Amino acid sequence: MPASPSTARAINDRLALRLLQQEGPLTAGQLKQLTGLSRPTVADLVERLTASALITVVGEAGEQRRGPNAKLYGIVADRAHLAALDVRTEGVSVIVSDLLGRVLAEASVPIADDTGTGPAVEQAVTMVERVAKEAGADRLHTVGIGAPGLIDPATGELRDSSGLPEWHRRLVAALQERLPEARVSVDNETNLAAVAEQRDGAARDRDTFVLLWLGHGTGAAVVLDGALRRGASGGTGEIGFLPVPGTTALPSATDCEGGFHSLAGSAAIVELAREHGVTVEGTAHEPAAAGVVRTAVARVVGAAGEAGAVPTRAGIAVPEAGSAARFLDALADRLAVGVASVVAILDPGCLVLGGEVGQAGGDELAGRVAERVRRMSPLPTEVRASALGGGAVLRGALLTARDGAQDDLFAPPER
């Protein structure tokens, strides 16, 4: 059944807006070529979108002959402002962008363990308001939040999870209260990291892959046939609870100690490094595990090059290359246990070592894990290092916020 004229117009408008988002400013002639629509149809949609303040003339294409087709049309970037938050146990980071995703302002605030729920929420919300003001945003259209824990698939809300601070759940409600005009949504941090790695990072050429998050804690995100899978209760990827050999106990329903987390969490990696003589002073900007892994990789890579010892940095005791290599091998042994379990169930073909630790390990660690998985599983699996590291959560939150805002603004008006 053919589409009605109004439906056809809406489809054409959305197509043009998506092209402008992906390609940047275009002329009417370029829109005609890319959409396959007729010249009069393109002229009509340009007029409609301009009248709706969704697109505007942003320049000229530089053709010799000046004319209507030489005008470059682009999305009105300040039509909406977006915020993305990365909520961690130890603090919150926020970025504010325009409708095209260009970052206009950003900030982070640490939140100490002994900070009460109310003060913690107030610190975070005040920071969001301040950063929005610095970005020149009178109001925020959409706020995307990435947080650890389970998201209830029925309500989209962060579930009450043991081990996570109460202010995480309170923050979502507080932001909605203080920003009543904004659309506020929350998703699991690892899921958002997977969105970012697929769109802008290590999995750009993959419709099916698993992201293994390695930061302060552990987690996984599963993307199958281009779709992020959440599970019946929103718990797909809670790999920290996976029972594995090499631990002294079993995990419980309320505590992942004894599960894969006991082998691959930041504290466990730091202890493993210490056993192999790899030490590094921690920083407030990343998990301590990322520092020791980066140090070990630098030493191994440096020893493999020409004569070259890697210069020490203040506060770092650079180990011998042999000790560093043995540490990376031992870490790869641990990670391969979790990876092989995921591969046996899902056969994703590609696994990304994400988070700050995965990025710090780079190809050195990814190669070691891949070698072990090849010996443990008959299923061919490529192991890649994260391209975005810990920044993937903020990037994923911003991408989903932008998608949501554009879906809202680009939708045809209700009749």
Side-chain angles (χ1 to χ4, degrees), residues 16 60 74 83 92 158-160 176 226 235 253 257 263 269 272 289 388:
E60 294 184 342
V92 179
L158 188 63
R159 286 170 52 184
D160 186 10
Q176 190 67 80
E257 287 300 324
L263 297 182
I269 294 175
L272 181 67
L388 303 174

Side-chain angles (χ1 to χ4, degrees), residues 24-392:
L26 298 168
T27 66
Q30 290 169 329
L31 281 171
K32 174 182 178 297
Q33 181 180 9
L34 291 170
T35 61
L37 300 173
S38 68
R39 188 177 298 275
T41 300
V42 170
D44 287 344
L45 73 83
V46 166
E47 183 178 354
R48 279 196 305 275
L49 295 176
T50 302
S52 301
L54 287 173
I55 68 172
T56 188
V57 176
V58 296
E60 294 184 342
E63 289 102 332
Q64 293 295 323
R65 175 181 173 274
R66 300 294 184 183
N69 287 352
K71 294 178 181 177
L72 276 172
Y73 295 94
I75 291 175
V76 179
D78 61 0
R79 174 66 187 273
H81 289 93
L82 322 169
L85 279 73
D86 181 1
V87 179
R88 307 284 181 103
T89 303
E90 69 280 1
V92 179
S93 298
V94 62
I95 56 178
V96 173
S97 83
D98 60 23
L99 185 57
L100 291 176
R102 293 187 295 235
V103 176
L104 305 174
E106 57 189 312
S108 298
V109 60
I111 296 179
D113 291 340
D114 57 356
T115 305
T117 298
V121 170
E122 183 60 29
Q123 280 184 334
V125 174
T126 299
M127 179 185 67
V128 173
E129 293 175 330
R130 174 174 58 79
V131 175
K133 184 176 180 180
E134 291 174 358
D138 295 330
R139 60 179 289 265
L140 293 172
H141 182 283
T142 305
V143 178
I145 304 171
L150 300 176
I151 307 300
D152 189 321
T155 65
E157 297 177 351
L158 188 63
R159 286 170 52 184
D160 186 10
S161 302
S162 60
L164 296 176
E166 172 63 22
W167 64 265
H168 280 197
R169 295 182 71 244
R170 290 276 299 276
L171 174 60
V172 179
L175 282 169
Q176 190 67 80
E177 182 179 342
R178 293 271 280 270
L179 305 170
E181 296 181 335
R183 298 179 173 214
V184 179
S185 63
V186 61
D187 204 342
N188 174 266
E189 59 179 353
T190 308
N191 286 343
L192 291 177
V195 170
E197 293 285 1
Q198 186 178 36
R199 299 267 288 271
D200 295 334
R204 279 174 291 184
D205 60 339
R206 291 284 182 167
D207 288 331
T208 295
F209 73 100
V210 170
L211 173 76
L212 175 59
W213 180 264
L214 301 169
H216 288 288
T218 58
V222 177
V223 177
L224 301 178
D225 299 324
L228 187 66
R229 304 298 179 177
R230 303 178 183 278
S233 62
T236 295
E238 288 295 319
I239 197 172
F241 287 89
L242 180 71
V244 292
T247 63
T248 58
L250 289 173
S252 71
T254 58
D255 190 353
C256 59
E257 287 300 324
F260 183 64
H261 173 82
S262 296
L263 297 182
S266 182
I269 294 175
V270 170
E271 178 58 32
L272 181 67
R274 187 177 295 113
E275 293 171 4
H276 287 80
V278 182
T279 59
V280 60
E281 287 185 0
T283 72
H285 304 292
E286 67 177 5
V292 294
V293 169
R294 185 178 296 107
T295 298
V297 168
R299 183 55 181 163
V300 169
V301 172
E306 292 185 35
V310 176
T312 60
R313 298 198 304 266
I316 296 179
V318 177
E320 293 297 325
S323 296
R326 286 190 291 274
F327 160 61
L328 292 176
D329 284 339
L331 177 56
D333 288 340
R334 291 185 173 192
L335 298 180
V337 171
V339 172
S341 299
V342 170
V343 168
I345 300 297
L346 297 175
D347 186 20
C350 177
L351 186 131
V352 176
L353 299 181
E356 296 90 347
V357 176
Q359 186 178 45
D363 292 340
E364 279 293 318
L365 182 59
R368 283 171 161 80
V369 174
E371 179 185 359
R372 285 153 177 79
V373 173
R374 279 195 295 271
R375 297 199 301 259
M376 298 169 69
S377 172
L379 308 177
T381 306
E382 184 179 1
V383 180
R384 301 177 178 179
S386 166
L388 303 174

